[in-house]
Amino acid sequence: MNRPVPPCKLSAALIILAASLAPFLQAGSPFQKFTFERGIMATRFAITCYDDDAAQAKAAADAAFDAAERINQVASDYIADSELLNLSKHFPGEPVATSPLLFKLISEARGFAEKTDGRVDPTLGPFTRLWRESRRRKTLPDEATLTKAREAVGWKSLVLDPHLSTIALMKGGMRLDLGGIAKGQAADAMLAVMATHGISRCCITAGGDVRLGDAPPDDTGWKIQVHTREKETEKSLTLANCAVSTSGELHQFIEIDGTRYSHIIDPATGLGLTRTTAATVIAPDATTSDALATACCVAPPDIAKKMALAAGATDVILSE
C-alpha cells in the first residue's frame, strides 16, 4: 500500500505529524516522501520514509512489515500455536529450546521486568486472560480465580539460559504475554530493516509507539504532537533517532459496577488499573520506550519518572 496517511490518533492519544506534512517531493531535494501502512498486532502500523526510488522504498517497507509479522507470529498470545504460547504446554521447570527471535524478545521483556521491579512483567498472561474475560462478561473474576492466577505469575520464575537458548516456566499455569513491549520491539526491527535497504530517513508508527530514524530532508527532526488527555493542550516535540511511546487508559478500558479498569494490569492486584493515568516516554529505542511507558502507568507517580530514567528513558511526561 503506497498512499498518504492522515495524522492519526494512536493508542493513549499519541499523535504524529511526520515531517510537518511536507509535500511528497520537496523543492530542491531528490527525495520523495512515501507512506505505507498495514494492520499488524490488532493495530495500525505505518512507515513514512524519504528516498529517491519508489520501488526501493516499497521493497524496504514490505520487508519491514514482514519483520513485524514474524514477531507477531512467534510472540502473539492470540495465536493458539504461537511459539510463545507453546511454552505454556510444557511441564513446569522444563527447559524449552526456543528460536533466536523468541529468546531475544523474552530476554528483553524479562530485563525490563527486573529494571522496573515487575511493573512491566511478561508473565502476566494469566491476568491478561482474566481481563479479556471480564471485558467480555462485564464482571470481575472472583477471589479464588484471582488467587490461582497470582500463583502462576512472577517474572523471577521465568528462567532463561542464554548459552542454550532455553526458557523454563517454573510455575504451573504460567502463561507469557509480551503485550507491554512487543510493538516497540517490532518498531525497532522495522527501522533496522529499512536501514539495511539504505533508507535512514524513516518514521515507524506501531500503535502508541513511534520509532524515528534520521530527520526528514531539510529539517532537524520529525514533528511529534503528544497529548495525554483529550482536552489537554498538545506538546510539540521535534525528534530524530529515538523513540516515543504513550501508554494509558484513555481508549482501552472496561467499566464494571461504576469503576473503570484500564487494559494495563496492576501486578499487585491482577486487575486493570483504576487510577486515571497516562505516560509518554522518550528513549533511544522503542523497546525501551514501550516497556517503560507501561511501567510508568503502574508505578506510583512520585517514583515513575525516576524509575524510567534509571532504566533507560531520556524524558518522561506524566499525566494524572
Side-chain angles (χ1 to χ4, degrees):
M1 183 177 294
N2 180 7
R3 61 183 177 82
V5 177
C8 63
K9 287 189 177 181
L10 305 175
S11 64
L14 174 66
I15 301 177
I16 176 167
L17 302 178
S20 301
L21 300 179
F24 272 59
L25 183 61
Q26 292 201 341
S29 171
F31 292 105
Q32 287 182 273
K33 177 181 169 186
F34 302 96
T35 305
F36 309 88
E37 64 175 296
R38 188 182 295 184
I40 306 173
M41 298 183 184
T43 192
R44 173 184 177 272
F45 276 56
I47 299 171
T48 301
C49 64
Y50 288 83
D51 197 53
D52 58 1
D53 186 321
Q56 176 174 275
K58 184 179 186 309
D62 287 343
F65 285 131
D66 288 346
E69 291 278 16
R70 284 193 294 274
I71 289 175
N72 188 45
Q73 290 298 314
V74 164
S76 173
D77 71 327
Y78 282 94
I79 300 174
D81 61 349
S82 72
E83 188 180 2
L84 181 84
L85 290 189
N86 281 335
L87 289 172
S88 301
K89 300 174 184 178
H90 292 265
F91 291 110
E94 178 185 353
V96 181
T98 63
S99 66
L101 176 57
L102 185 64
F103 191 88
K104 175 181 182 292
L105 299 173
I106 293 177
S107 179
E108 290 173 345
R110 191 190 186 284
F112 280 103
E114 186 169 2
K115 290 177 182 178
T116 64
D117 196 23
R119 293 185 176 96
V120 56
D121 184 347
T123 72
L124 296 184
F127 292 151
T128 303
R129 292 183 73 176
L130 293 181
W131 189 89
R132 291 171 186 165
E133 287 184 23
S134 294
R135 181 176 57 185
R136 178 175 56 85
R137 299 170 59 184
K138 306 299 182 186
T139 59
L140 294 178
D142 59 39
E143 189 55 38
T145 300
L146 271 174
T147 297
K148 184 177 180 180
R150 289 190 192 104
E151 291 170 351
V153 168
W155 62 271
K156 293 181 181 179
S157 296
L158 175 62
V159 178
L160 284 68
D161 186 331
H163 302 293
L164 299 176
S165 292
T166 60
I167 295 175
L169 308 184
M170 304 305 291
K171 296 180 178 181
M174 286 187 76
R175 178 185 172 102
L176 302 186
D177 175 10
L178 300 184
I181 194 172
K183 292 183 181 67
Q185 291 171 317
D188 285 336
M190 291 171 68
L191 189 72
V193 169
M194 297 296 289
T196 65
H197 284 74
I199 299 177
S200 64
R201 302 174 188 273
C202 187
C203 166
I204 310 292
T205 303
D209 306 296
V210 180
R211 183 67 166 97
L212 305 171
D214 290 346
D218 304 318
D219 210 334
T220 59
W222 299 84
K223 303 302 187 292
I224 308 290
Q225 273 72 43
V226 176
H227 69 85
T228 53
R229 286 286 168 264
E230 289 178 301
K231 295 181 180 180
E232 197 171 291
T233 302
E234 294 175 358
K235 181 182 178 79
S236 181
L237 307 172
T238 301
L239 301 168
N241 294 308
C242 66
V244 186
S245 296
T246 292
S247 188
E249 91 308 328
L250 192 59
H251 296 301
Q252 294 192 61
F253 62 89
I254 54 176
E255 189 167 317
I256 298 175
D257 297 331
T259 300
R260 183 159 147 161
Y261 295 89
S262 168
H263 71 293
I264 300 172
I265 303 296
D266 183 350
T269 66
L271 301 175
L273 291 172
T274 56
R275 234 180 344 110
T276 302
T277 185
T280 295
V281 171
I282 302 171
D285 58 76
T287 299
T288 300
S289 62
D290 190 8
L292 295 182
T294 299
C296 281
C297 290
V298 175
D302 59 330
I303 69 168
K305 186 170 184 176
K306 182 179 179 180
M307 173 199 67
L309 293 175
T314 57
D315 197 9
V316 179
I317 303 168
L318 300 176
S319 178
E320 290 293 319

